[in-house]
């Protein structure tokens, strides 16, 4: 079910509880947009995210025909009380027509410190993908606006 707010329309990709192995979100993305909203849930509700929690990683998995690729660029996730909006663009070498299908994976950090924190401070996250918006992101080139009639006339007089 889609969520609508002042930023646009968001489609739910699923909820996952990260472990020390990659956990895949169940749904494929529907559009080539790069904006994601992540909502974190603490399994110790009385503490919230005021106490330290183990951080996690997010990466993309791309499917095209019979082959698949794992993205080398991982985003580090720090659980917090408020939702977070991230941009996760397609890798430049995969920006061809048609775009491959994409899913996301989440896992906890493997560091010793994160492993100690993960004993009693687990968390889950929900991923939402932006599917409809009039916002232009910095990774996209803005569409040029057509010149007005007065600008065209001014250019004609300037050339003469």
């Amino acid at each position: 079910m889609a969520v609508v707010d002042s930023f646009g329309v968001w489609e739910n990709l699923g909820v996952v509880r990260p472990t020390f192995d990659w956990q895949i979100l169940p749904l494929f993305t529907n559009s080539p947009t790069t904006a994601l909203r992540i909502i974190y849930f603490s399994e110790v509700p009385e503490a919230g995210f005021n106490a330290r929690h183990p951080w996690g990683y997010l990466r993309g998995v791309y499917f095209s025909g019979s082959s698949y690729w794992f993205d080398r660029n991982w985003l580090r996730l720090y659980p917090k009380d408020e939702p977070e909006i991230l941009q996760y663009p397609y890798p430049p070498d995969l920006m061809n027509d048609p775009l491959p299908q994409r899913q996301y994976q989440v896992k906890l950090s493997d560091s010793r410190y994160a492993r100690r924190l993960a004993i009693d401070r687990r968390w889950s996250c929900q991923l939402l993908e932006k599917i409809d918006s009039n916002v232009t992101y910095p990774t996209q080139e803005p569409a040029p606006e057509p010149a007005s009639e007065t600008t065209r006339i001014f250019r004609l007089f300037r050339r003469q």
Side-chain angles (χ1 to χ4, degrees), residues 1-5 9-15 25 27 29-31 33-41 58 83-88 104 125-131:
M1 184 167 102
V3 176
V4 179
D5 65 2
V9 180
W10 301 86
E11 185 68 37
N12 186 6
L13 296 178
V15 178
L25 284 137
L27 299 176
T29 58
N30 297 325
S31 66
T33 60
T34 62
L36 297 172
R37 173 183 279 174
I38 301 177
I39 302 171
Y40 301 99
F41 304 101
L58 172 76
E84 181 177 17
I85 296 178
L86 302 172
Q87 286 200 6
Y88 198 90
Y104 294 100
C125 65
Q126 177 182 20
L127 229 63
L128 300 156
E129 174 197 23
K130 185 184 250 342
I131 58 171

Side-chain angles (χ1 to χ4, degrees), residues 34 40 43 45 54-55 83 94 101 111-112 122 131 160:
T34 62
Y40 301 99
E43 293 190 6
W55 60 91
L94 293 179
Q101 290 184 324
S111 72
R112 286 186 199 152
R122 299 301 297 263
I131 58 171
Q160 294 175 356

